[in-house]
Amino acid sequence: AQKITQTQPGMFVQEKEAVTLDCTYDTSDQSYGLFWYKQPSSGEMIFLIYQGSYDEQNATEGRYSLNFQKARKSANLVISASQLGDSAMYFCAMALTGANSKLTFGKGITLSVRP
Amino acid sequence: NAGVMQNPRHLVRRRGQEARLRCSPMKGHSHVYWYRQLPEEGLKFMVYLQKENIIDESGMPKERFSAEFPKEGPSILRIQQVVRGDSAAYFCASSLTSAGQETQYFGPGTRLLVL
């Protein structure tokens, strides 16, 4: 079974600064994908970034980058130049590569951006 | 450019009534996943369907819950004889394929409140 751990308490960051949100995972499978989703107070789930277990380079999408350390089983999200609109819950998730790619989610981290 | 559609957005039911949640996947997507989010928790997988087939229902309670994805029309998550513990946000996601690297795009969710 897969497990995602997000243990940081609520995070605070000053506007325009960078912030790292931690995520560790556990799986015995070798082929999997890691995802980050954002959930603002309005409640929807917004896909941010994806990292495959065989990708050699860290994924980047605009201000989002994923610091993937396979040996440590960590997939931390880095948000650069934080904006007020980044205040939200952030969920790390994983799926195995195969016929059924159901997502396993962590409990999430609350990020608050201060002006 | 319609994304994943869910309705209703909010649903109030009294204990013992039935709840029907609908999900229309993104155009061209034939894989649908349902997740449940309890307050202050991450999302938990319930069921994975393809057109006319339930592929994995390992996360769905054995009683009172059922899901379908007919050849025509939306996917339906049905909860019979609702209880207060069913109060949660129910999210539907769709993907183009079932491969683990395929991004799942989420609908806005249905917030179910059982009185």
Side-chain angles (χ1 to χ4, degrees):
Chain A
Q2 295 72 51
K3 186 178 179 182
I4 296 284
T5 302
Q6 295 180 266
T7 57
Q8 286 169 305
M11 295 284 289
F12 293 87
V13 65
Q14 206 66 33
E15 195 178 7
K16 298 180 185 176
E17 292 186 350
V19 63
T20 298
L21 306 182
D22 295 342
C23 171
T24 58
Y25 61 93
D26 191 24
T27 181
S28 55
D29 284 78
Q30 297 301 310
S31 184
Y32 50 87
L34 295 154
F35 302 80
W36 278 90
Y37 286 86
K38 172 184 177 182
Q39 187 176 43
S41 58
S42 51
E44 70 268 35
M45 294 288 288
I46 302 167
F47 165 72
L48 295 178
I49 195 166
Y50 162 81
Q51 178 84 42
S53 59
Y54 292 116
D55 293 343
E56 294 186 351
Q57 297 213 340
N58 287 341
T60 59
E61 288 285 351
R63 294 186 299 110
Y64 305 108
S65 60
L66 202 152
N67 183 0
F68 180 46
Q69 299 188 44
K70 194 170 181 177
R72 297 179 62 183
K73 292 189 175 178
S74 74
N76 299 339
L77 177 70
V78 180
I79 306 175
S80 62
S82 297
Q83 302 173 355
L84 295 177
D86 293 335
S87 294
M89 280 283 284
Y90 288 81
F91 292 96
C92 179
M94 74 177 298
L96 299 182
T97 303
N100 180 351
S101 56
K102 61 187 177 187
L103 289 167
T104 300
F105 283 85
K107 288 184 180 289
I109 301 167
T110 301
L111 175 66
S112 299
V113 180
R114 291 172 168 150
Chain B
N1 183 22
V4 179
M5 311 279 283
Q6 285 188 255
N7 66 80
R9 295 290 301 274
H10 299 274
L11 183 60
V12 180
R13 285 287 178 266
R14 297 192 180 279
R15 281 178 296 169
Q17 292 184 319
E18 179 180 289
R20 277 185 179 239
L21 287 59
R22 295 175 191 79
C23 167
S24 297
M26 284 179 72
K27 189 176 181 180
H29 287 192
S30 59
H31 300 261
V32 166
Y33 302 79
W34 285 92
Y35 296 86
R36 177 165 65 175
Q37 184 179 31
L38 295 171
E40 310 299 324
E41 299 255 337
L43 279 69
K44 296 276 197 285
F45 167 77
M46 297 182 74
V47 61
Y48 162 42
L49 310 103
Q50 294 179 29
K51 284 284 187 183
E52 299 185 277
N53 287 305
I54 296 175
I55 308 301
D56 180 354
E57 56 183 346
S58 60
M60 202 149 70
K62 295 283 186 282
E63 297 179 355
R64 302 188 297 109
F65 285 72
S66 62
E68 62 177 11
F69 188 16
K71 188 176 180 181
E72 301 291 337
S75 175
I76 306 283
L77 180 67
R78 184 181 175 208
I79 311 172
Q80 294 178 288
Q81 299 173 335
V82 295
V83 301
R84 288 217 173 110
D86 296 332
S87 295
Y90 292 82
F91 287 91
C92 163
S94 73
S95 65
L96 193 58
T97 72
S98 62
Q101 69 270 25
E102 193 69 41
T103 298
Q104 291 181 26
Y105 294 94
F106 282 78
T110 294
R111 271 82 185 162
L112 173 65
L113 176 63
V114 180
L115 301 177

